[in-house]
Amino acid sequence: MPRIIMYTTAICPYCNNAKKLLQEKGATWEEIRVDTNPDLRNEMMEKSGQRTVPQIWIGEQHVGGFTDLWALDKAGKLDPLLKAN
């Protein structure tokens, strides 16, 4: 399974939904909390071009936020992405 990185905050319901979906897929991820370190939020914004959380990367691919992750799953594209090396 490729490395998954997720930028989050503690009180974000979309972050929790993304974690739940990935957990249902048997995935593990590295969580980077941007609410505890402004430099990490700036890093996230520079890498993604987005201000909102979550911001998710699967391997080298920037997936986007929870809605994007959910759409990948509904289109049948998330499982193959999670199985890629």
XYZ file of all heavy atoms in Angstrom:
678
model
N 0.852 -1.187 0.000
C 0.000 0.000 0.000
C 0.890 1.240 0.000
O 1.863 1.293 0.735
C -0.906 -0.018 1.238
C -1.968 1.043 1.226
S -3.193 0.885 2.539
C -4.191 -0.438 1.892
N 0.563 2.230 -0.809
C 1.377 3.445 -0.842
C 1.231 4.244 0.453
O 0.269 4.079 1.208
C 0.808 4.217 -2.026
C -0.570 3.710 -2.203
C -0.555 2.281 -1.735
N 2.188 5.115 0.672
C 2.158 5.991 1.843
C 1.018 6.995 1.672
O 0.843 7.588 0.594
C 3.490 6.725 1.943
C 3.584 7.660 3.105
C 4.959 8.294 3.140
N 5.084 9.166 4.288
C 5.907 10.184 4.338
N 6.702 10.448 3.314
N 5.964 10.930 5.411
N 0.254 7.178 2.742
C -0.851 8.132 2.737
C -0.540 9.214 3.756
O -0.231 8.913 4.911
C -2.191 7.450 3.080
C -2.501 6.348 2.063
C -3.314 8.483 3.146
C -3.689 5.492 2.430
N -0.625 10.453 3.323
C -0.421 11.597 4.204
C -1.701 12.410 4.206
O -2.273 12.684 3.153
C 0.758 12.469 3.730
C 2.048 11.659 3.776
C 0.871 13.741 4.572
C 3.241 12.364 3.185
N -2.152 12.778 5.416
C -3.376 13.560 5.540
C -3.126 14.734 6.487
O -2.767 14.537 7.643
C -4.509 12.686 6.084
C -5.829 13.397 6.101
S -7.248 12.449 6.774
C -6.910 10.789 6.323
N -3.301 15.948 5.977
C -3.242 17.147 6.803
C -4.626 17.350 7.407
O -5.633 17.318 6.677
C -2.860 18.356 5.959
C -1.413 18.378 5.524
C -0.995 17.692 4.394
C -0.466 19.096 6.238
C 0.330 17.713 3.984
C 0.865 19.134 5.843
C 1.252 18.440 4.712
O 2.567 18.460 4.312
N -4.692 17.549 8.725
C -5.971 17.619 9.426
C -5.956 18.688 10.519
O -4.917 19.270 10.816
C -6.287 16.276 10.114
O -5.350 16.066 11.180
C -6.246 15.110 9.160
N -7.145 18.883 11.111
C -7.282 19.605 12.378
C -8.114 18.732 13.310
O -8.785 17.797 12.862
C -7.974 20.976 12.207
O -9.304 20.760 11.746
C -7.223 21.880 11.246
N -8.087 19.060 14.583
C -8.771 18.234 15.585
C -10.293 18.268 15.448
O -10.959 17.281 15.750
C -8.364 18.671 16.989
N -10.841 19.387 15.015
C -12.301 19.534 15.043
C -12.956 19.444 13.670
O -14.094 19.874 13.484
C -12.697 20.860 15.727
C -12.094 22.049 14.963
C -12.283 20.873 17.180
C -12.624 23.394 15.402
N -12.281 18.859 12.714
C -12.765 18.826 11.339
C -13.587 17.566 11.073
O -13.050 16.460 11.073
C -11.563 18.877 10.401
S -11.934 18.510 8.703
N -14.900 17.702 10.828
C -15.714 16.514 10.546
C -15.335 15.836 9.235
O -15.429 14.613 9.111
C -17.144 17.048 10.509
C -17.016 18.510 10.266
C -15.697 18.933 10.837
N -14.885 16.603 8.247
C -14.466 16.005 6.980
C -13.197 15.169 7.163
O -13.030 14.146 6.503
C -14.256 17.083 5.915
C -15.540 17.767 5.539
C -15.828 19.039 6.007
C -16.466 17.131 4.727
C -17.021 19.670 5.673
C -17.666 17.750 4.390
C -17.930 19.010 4.861
O -19.099 19.635 4.537
N -12.324 15.617 8.052
C -11.123 14.830 8.379
C -11.535 13.491 8.975
O -10.999 12.438 8.600
C -10.231 15.583 9.352
S -9.603 17.166 8.728
N -12.483 13.532 9.902
C -12.958 12.295 10.528
C -13.602 11.363 9.507
O -13.408 10.145 9.551
C -13.923 12.607 11.669
C -13.238 13.288 12.833
O -12.039 13.108 13.046
N -13.977 14.081 13.572
N -14.356 11.924 8.574
C -14.974 11.107 7.521
C -13.917 10.466 6.633
O -14.039 9.302 6.251
C -15.937 11.944 6.682
C -17.206 12.298 7.425
O -17.563 11.655 8.398
N -17.877 13.330 6.964
N -12.875 11.215 6.294
C -11.789 10.675 5.465
C -11.078 9.546 6.199
O -10.794 8.492 5.610
C -10.808 11.784 5.100
N -10.807 9.745 7.484
C -10.152 8.699 8.280
C -11.020 7.448 8.344
O -10.512 6.324 8.203
C -9.856 9.205 9.694
C -8.790 10.263 9.756
C -8.583 10.650 11.205
C -8.327 12.112 11.355
N -8.168 12.503 12.757
N -12.318 7.639 8.527
C -13.224 6.497 8.608
C -13.237 5.713 7.292
O -13.172 4.483 7.300
C -14.634 6.980 8.954
C -15.634 5.867 9.107
C -17.014 6.402 9.478
C -18.004 5.262 9.521
N -19.374 5.722 9.623
N -13.306 6.416 6.171
C -13.315 5.751 4.869
C -12.015 4.980 4.644
O -12.040 3.816 4.225
C -13.537 6.765 3.750
C -13.496 6.230 2.320
C -14.499 5.097 2.112
C -13.744 7.356 1.331
N -10.886 5.606 4.944
C -9.604 4.924 4.765
C -9.471 3.731 5.709
O -8.938 2.688 5.330
C -8.445 5.905 4.958
C -8.277 6.933 3.845
C -7.240 7.983 4.232
C -7.893 6.258 2.533
N -9.970 3.896 6.927
C -9.926 2.790 7.892
C -10.759 1.607 7.384
O -10.346 0.454 7.493
C -10.439 3.269 9.252
C -10.293 2.237 10.350
C -10.708 2.809 11.699
O -11.426 3.815 11.784
N -10.261 2.177 12.750
N -11.921 1.892 6.807
C -12.760 0.829 6.241
C -12.041 0.096 5.108
O -12.313 -1.080 4.866
C -14.080 1.416 5.721
C -15.013 1.858 6.820
C -16.212 2.642 6.312
O -16.323 2.887 5.081
O -17.052 3.030 7.151
N -11.125 0.787 4.435
C -10.353 0.188 3.344
C -9.113 -0.551 3.856
O -8.377 -1.128 3.077
C -9.912 1.266 2.342
C -11.055 2.005 1.690
C -11.779 1.123 0.719
C -12.886 1.861 0.010
N -13.590 1.000 -0.926
N -8.891 -0.497 5.173
C -7.724 -1.157 5.753
C -6.443 -0.362 5.595
O -5.350 -0.902 5.771
N -6.570 0.904 5.290
C -5.400 1.754 5.069
C -4.928 2.381 6.373
O -5.713 2.579 7.309
C -5.742 2.852 4.061
N -3.667 2.712 6.409
C -3.094 3.509 7.493
C -2.534 4.778 6.877
O -2.218 4.809 5.683
C -1.985 2.744 8.241
O -0.972 2.380 7.310
C -2.538 1.493 8.917
N -2.402 5.809 7.663
C -1.960 7.092 7.142
C -1.134 7.807 8.182
O -1.190 7.510 9.367
C -3.153 7.954 6.730
C -4.104 8.183 7.859
C -4.079 9.207 8.762
C -5.197 7.338 8.247
N -5.107 9.054 9.674
C -5.798 7.911 9.379
C -5.709 6.155 7.746
C -6.896 7.337 10.013
C -6.803 5.591 8.388
C -7.384 6.175 9.499
N -0.372 8.773 7.685
C 0.383 9.678 8.540
C -0.449 10.948 8.651
O -0.800 11.556 7.637
C 1.737 9.982 7.909
C 2.559 10.972 8.680
C 3.851 11.328 7.957
O 4.287 10.556 7.090
O 4.409 12.387 8.278
N -0.793 11.321 9.871
C -1.624 12.505 10.095
C -0.744 13.674 10.503
O 0.083 13.558 11.403
C -2.653 12.222 11.186
C -3.626 13.338 11.411
C -4.750 12.952 12.363
O -4.823 11.795 12.801
O -5.562 13.830 12.662
N -0.926 14.793 9.820
C -0.193 16.012 10.131
C -1.215 17.053 10.574
O -2.038 17.498 9.781
C 0.606 16.511 8.912
C 1.606 15.433 8.478
C 1.319 17.821 9.243
C 2.333 15.734 7.198
N -1.167 17.396 11.850
C -2.133 18.336 12.423
C -1.675 19.771 12.180
O -0.649 20.198 12.691
C -2.259 18.086 13.930
C -2.925 16.782 14.320
C -4.403 16.923 14.551
N -4.754 18.024 15.412
C -4.840 17.943 16.743
N -4.601 16.807 17.370
N -5.165 19.010 17.440
N -2.432 20.504 11.393
C -2.064 21.881 11.059
C -2.592 22.888 12.067
O -2.165 24.043 12.055
C -2.514 22.262 9.629
C -1.859 21.351 8.613
C -4.019 22.249 9.482
N -3.503 22.458 12.948
C -4.035 23.386 13.943
C -3.064 23.596 15.094
O -3.220 24.536 15.867
C -5.402 22.932 14.459
C -5.408 21.512 14.974
O -4.469 20.740 14.679
O -6.383 21.144 15.665
N -2.069 22.762 15.219
C -1.111 22.890 16.308
C 0.189 23.555 15.865
O 1.026 23.865 16.701
C -0.780 21.507 16.911
O -0.249 20.672 15.882
C -2.011 20.869 17.523
N 0.339 23.769 14.547
C 1.576 24.351 14.039
C 1.283 25.128 12.749
O 1.077 24.520 11.696
C 2.596 23.235 13.783
C 3.950 23.761 13.372
O 4.069 24.846 12.811
N 4.978 22.985 13.641
N 1.281 26.454 12.826
C 0.983 27.270 11.638
C 1.949 27.009 10.477
O 1.559 27.143 9.312
C 1.117 28.711 12.135
C 0.995 28.632 13.617
C 1.481 27.272 14.015
N 3.182 26.655 10.761
C 4.135 26.368 9.685
C 3.679 25.166 8.862
O 3.885 25.120 7.646
C 5.536 26.112 10.241
C 6.162 27.379 10.819
O 5.773 28.491 10.396
O 7.027 27.252 11.696
N 3.049 24.189 9.516
C 2.557 23.012 8.799
C 1.365 23.364 7.916
O 1.205 22.813 6.840
C 2.197 21.893 9.773
C 3.387 21.272 10.509
C 2.905 20.256 11.549
C 4.354 20.629 9.539
N 0.524 24.295 8.368
C -0.584 24.760 7.517
C -0.023 25.453 6.281
O -0.490 25.231 5.161
C -1.529 25.698 8.264
C -2.702 26.147 7.382
C -3.691 27.032 8.102
N -4.485 26.326 9.070
C -5.608 25.664 8.807
N -6.053 25.607 7.565
N -6.279 25.076 9.762
N 0.997 26.277 6.475
C 1.630 26.950 5.331
C 2.234 25.925 4.378
O 2.109 26.076 3.157
C 2.689 27.939 5.813
C 2.084 29.137 6.514
O 0.933 29.488 6.276
N 2.846 29.759 7.381
N 2.869 24.892 4.920
C 3.423 23.818 4.094
C 2.327 23.145 3.275
O 2.475 22.918 2.078
C 4.120 22.795 4.993
C 4.600 21.550 4.294
C 5.129 20.528 5.280
O 6.223 20.731 5.823
O 4.414 19.521 5.514
N 1.202 22.834 3.935
C 0.071 22.202 3.267
C -0.447 23.088 2.136
O -0.691 22.620 1.019
C -1.058 21.928 4.264
C -2.322 21.367 3.636
S -3.768 21.458 4.725
C -4.231 23.190 4.559
N -0.601 24.383 2.413
C -1.134 25.303 1.414
C -0.176 25.435 0.236
O -0.617 25.497 -0.918
C -1.410 26.664 2.063
C -2.602 26.621 3.003
S -2.853 28.087 4.056
C -2.503 29.424 2.982
N 1.106 25.431 0.512
C 2.091 25.533 -0.567
C 2.065 24.282 -1.448
O 2.118 24.374 -2.674
C 3.486 25.724 0.043
C 4.547 26.018 -0.985
C 5.881 26.322 -0.327
O 5.935 27.245 0.514
O 6.856 25.621 -0.649
N 1.961 23.116 -0.825
C 1.970 21.857 -1.574
C 0.676 21.630 -2.348
O 0.695 21.117 -3.454
C 2.197 20.683 -0.617
C 3.613 20.587 -0.091
C 3.751 19.566 1.012
C 3.557 18.159 0.531
N 3.804 17.164 1.598
N -0.466 21.998 -1.742
C -1.761 21.656 -2.330
C -2.436 22.811 -3.065
O -3.316 22.579 -3.891
C -2.713 21.166 -1.245
O -3.076 22.236 -0.377
N -2.080 24.035 -2.705
C -2.785 25.194 -3.245
C -4.149 25.388 -2.595
O -4.947 26.195 -3.054
N -4.411 24.656 -1.517
C -5.697 24.706 -0.822
C -5.507 25.137 0.630
O -4.469 24.869 1.228
C -6.360 23.322 -0.832
C -6.578 22.748 -2.211
C -7.600 23.553 -2.986
O -8.632 23.939 -2.470
N -7.300 23.795 -4.252
N -6.553 25.749 1.199
C -6.513 26.171 2.607
C -7.276 25.213 3.518
O -7.111 25.236 4.722
C -7.151 27.558 2.758
C -6.433 28.663 2.060
C -7.144 30.004 2.250
N -7.625 30.260 3.592
C -6.901 30.789 4.583
N -5.660 31.127 4.365
N -7.429 30.994 5.769
N -8.173 24.433 2.947
C -9.069 23.611 3.750
C -8.462 22.248 4.060
O -7.573 21.770 3.364
C -10.405 23.400 3.020
O -10.145 22.752 1.772
C -11.118 24.723 2.795
N -8.961 21.652 5.135
C -8.559 20.296 5.515
C -9.765 19.391 5.399
O -10.894 19.867 5.482
C -7.978 20.256 6.958
C -6.644 20.950 7.003
C -8.943 20.835 7.974
N -9.545 18.119 5.188
C -8.236 17.504 5.032
C -7.673 17.740 3.642
O -8.401 18.038 2.709
C -8.533 16.013 5.225
C -9.918 15.839 4.684
C -10.638 17.126 5.061
N -6.366 17.588 3.540
C -5.678 17.501 2.255
C -4.955 16.166 2.287
O -4.203 15.893 3.225
C -4.712 18.661 2.027
C -5.410 19.988 1.793
C -6.326 19.958 0.577
O -5.986 19.428 -0.473
N -7.518 20.536 0.733
N -5.216 15.343 1.295
C -4.785 13.947 1.316
C -3.908 13.639 0.115
O -4.245 14.010 -1.013
C -6.013 13.012 1.304
C -6.961 13.360 2.450
C -5.590 11.543 1.347
C -8.371 12.833 2.276
N -2.816 12.954 0.375
C -1.943 12.416 -0.668
C -1.900 10.909 -0.522
O -1.755 10.387 0.583
C -0.509 12.945 -0.530
C -0.297 14.292 -1.109
C 0.241 14.582 -2.315
C -0.604 15.554 -0.503
N 0.278 15.948 -2.502
C -0.232 16.555 -1.402
C -1.173 15.930 0.713
C -0.396 17.913 -1.129
C -1.337 17.267 0.991
C -0.954 18.244 0.065
N -2.045 10.217 -1.624
C -1.861 8.767 -1.664
C -0.689 8.540 -2.600
O -0.789 8.814 -3.802
C -3.128 8.037 -2.128
C -4.279 8.317 -1.168
C -2.857 6.534 -2.237
C -5.611 7.716 -1.566
N 0.412 8.074 -2.025
C 1.649 8.022 -2.793
C 2.024 9.439 -3.186
O 1.985 10.357 -2.367
N 2.339 9.638 -4.437
C 2.700 10.974 -4.932
C 1.491 11.759 -5.417
O 1.611 12.928 -5.774
C 3.714 10.836 -6.079
C 5.029 10.211 -5.666
C 5.767 11.043 -4.631
O 5.831 12.274 -4.796
O 6.270 10.457 -3.657
N 0.320 11.142 -5.433
C -0.878 11.789 -5.984
C -1.623 12.583 -4.925
O -2.026 12.043 -3.891
C -1.820 10.748 -6.583
C -3.066 11.362 -7.187
C -3.946 10.355 -7.890
O -3.482 9.316 -8.333
N -5.211 10.673 -8.007
N -1.829 13.871 -5.200
C -2.664 14.694 -4.327
C -4.117 14.395 -4.668
O -4.573 14.671 -5.774
C -2.342 16.180 -4.538
C -3.206 17.071 -3.717
N -3.938 18.088 -4.271
C -3.463 17.103 -2.389
C -4.612 18.712 -3.315
N -4.337 18.136 -2.166
N -4.821 13.812 -3.722
C -6.220 13.439 -3.926
C -7.123 14.646 -3.718
O -8.118 14.808 -4.404
C -6.613 12.285 -2.970
C -8.097 12.016 -3.004
C -5.811 11.040 -3.301
N -6.804 15.483 -2.750
C -7.639 16.616 -2.389
C -8.227 16.397 -1.021
O -7.575 15.860 -0.125
N -9.500 16.761 -0.855
C -10.171 16.638 0.425
C -11.061 15.406 0.502
O -10.996 14.513 -0.357
N -11.912 15.382 1.529
C -12.772 14.221 1.729
C -13.716 14.000 0.551
O -13.909 12.873 0.102
C -13.587 14.337 3.017
C -14.671 13.300 3.082
C -14.350 11.962 3.237
C -16.003 13.645 2.927
C -15.333 10.982 3.257
C -16.998 12.676 2.948
C -16.659 11.344 3.117
N -14.312 15.062 0.034
C -15.255 14.917 -1.072
C -14.576 14.277 -2.275
O -15.168 13.429 -2.950
C -15.853 16.282 -1.453
O -16.426 16.874 -0.277
C -16.928 16.149 -2.499
N -13.331 14.657 -2.517
C -12.571 14.075 -3.626
C -12.268 12.596 -3.360
O -12.367 11.767 -4.268
C -11.263 14.840 -3.829
C -11.500 16.327 -4.058
O -12.233 16.671 -5.011
O -10.967 17.133 -3.285
N -11.904 12.285 -2.126
C -11.632 10.898 -1.735
C -12.886 10.047 -1.903
O -12.855 8.955 -2.462
C -11.137 10.857 -0.287
C -10.720 9.508 0.260
C -9.417 9.048 -0.391
C -10.554 9.580 1.774
N -14.009 10.569 -1.447
C -15.294 9.863 -1.544
C -15.678 9.634 -3.007
O -16.138 8.563 -3.383
C -16.359 10.676 -0.809
C -17.712 10.063 -0.825
C -18.184 9.073 -0.012
C -18.786 10.402 -1.703
N -19.484 8.783 -0.329
C -19.880 9.592 -1.374
C -18.926 11.316 -2.735
C -21.100 9.666 -2.041
C -20.141 11.395 -3.389
C -21.200 10.569 -3.040
N -15.457 10.659 -3.834
C -15.780 10.539 -5.261
C -14.911 9.468 -5.924
O -15.407 8.715 -6.769
C -15.601 11.887 -5.953
N -13.635 9.402 -5.554
C -12.765 8.347 -6.079
C -13.308 6.975 -5.709
O -13.324 6.059 -6.542
C -11.350 8.482 -5.513
C -10.389 9.419 -6.191
C -9.070 9.462 -5.430
C -10.143 9.012 -7.627
N -13.760 6.841 -4.468
C -14.298 5.560 -4.015
C -15.558 5.203 -4.792
O -15.709 4.078 -5.268
C -14.574 5.612 -2.513
C -14.954 4.259 -1.950
O -14.332 3.241 -2.359
O -15.848 4.199 -1.101
N -16.464 6.160 -4.952
C -17.719 5.899 -5.662
C -17.483 5.571 -7.131
O -18.255 4.826 -7.733
C -18.671 7.101 -5.536
C -19.194 7.304 -4.138
C -19.911 6.063 -3.645
C -20.218 6.122 -2.178
N -20.503 4.832 -1.580
N -16.407 6.107 -7.702
C -16.077 5.832 -9.108
C -15.287 4.530 -9.269
O -14.933 4.164 -10.388
C -15.284 6.998 -9.682
N -15.002 3.854 -8.143
C -14.249 2.601 -8.204
C -12.761 2.796 -8.423
O -12.050 1.855 -8.776
N -12.253 4.010 -8.174
C -10.847 4.306 -8.423
C -9.989 4.334 -7.153
O -8.759 4.373 -7.251
C -10.728 5.637 -9.152
C -11.369 5.622 -10.526
C -11.244 6.964 -11.191
C -11.914 6.927 -12.562
N -11.873 8.238 -13.224
N -10.612 4.322 -5.983
C -9.844 4.412 -4.738
C -9.123 3.094 -4.438
O -7.932 3.111 -4.120
C -10.736 4.812 -3.561
C -10.029 4.949 -2.219
C -8.887 5.961 -2.286
C -11.033 5.345 -1.137
N -9.811 1.977 -4.551
C -9.181 0.683 -4.240
C -7.936 0.446 -5.085
O -6.890 0.081 -4.536
C -10.179 -0.459 -4.372
C -11.223 -0.455 -3.254
O -10.943 0.097 -2.175
O -12.314 -1.001 -3.486
N -7.991 0.642 -6.414
C -6.760 0.458 -7.202
C -5.631 1.409 -6.793
O -4.467 1.025 -6.791
C -7.201 0.725 -8.642
C -8.669 0.492 -8.648
C -9.156 0.881 -7.281
N -5.991 2.628 -6.425
C -4.999 3.599 -5.991
C -4.332 3.147 -4.692
O -3.115 3.270 -4.528
C -5.645 4.975 -5.813
C -4.747 6.153 -5.530
C -3.702 6.338 -6.625
C -5.579 7.413 -5.378
N -5.130 2.576 -3.792
C -4.593 2.100 -2.522
C -3.732 0.838 -2.694
O -2.882 0.561 -1.856
C -5.727 1.810 -1.529
C -6.492 3.034 -1.039
C -7.686 2.610 -0.194
C -5.577 3.976 -0.257
N -3.957 0.104 -3.758
C -3.179 -1.116 -4.001
C -1.916 -0.872 -4.818
O -1.073 -1.743 -4.921
C -4.064 -2.151 -4.692
C -5.134 -2.708 -3.770
C -6.003 -3.709 -4.481
C -6.967 -4.405 -3.576
N -8.032 -3.646 -3.034
N -1.793 0.335 -5.400
C -0.618 0.648 -6.215
C 0.625 0.707 -5.348
O 0.555 1.014 -4.155
C -0.833 1.984 -6.923
N 1.748 0.419 -5.961
C 3.017 0.486 -5.212
C 3.801 1.703 -5.556
O 3.848 2.324 -6.421
C 3.863 -0.761 -5.456
C 3.243 -1.968 -4.789
O 2.660 -1.862 -3.732
N 3.368 -3.109 -5.420
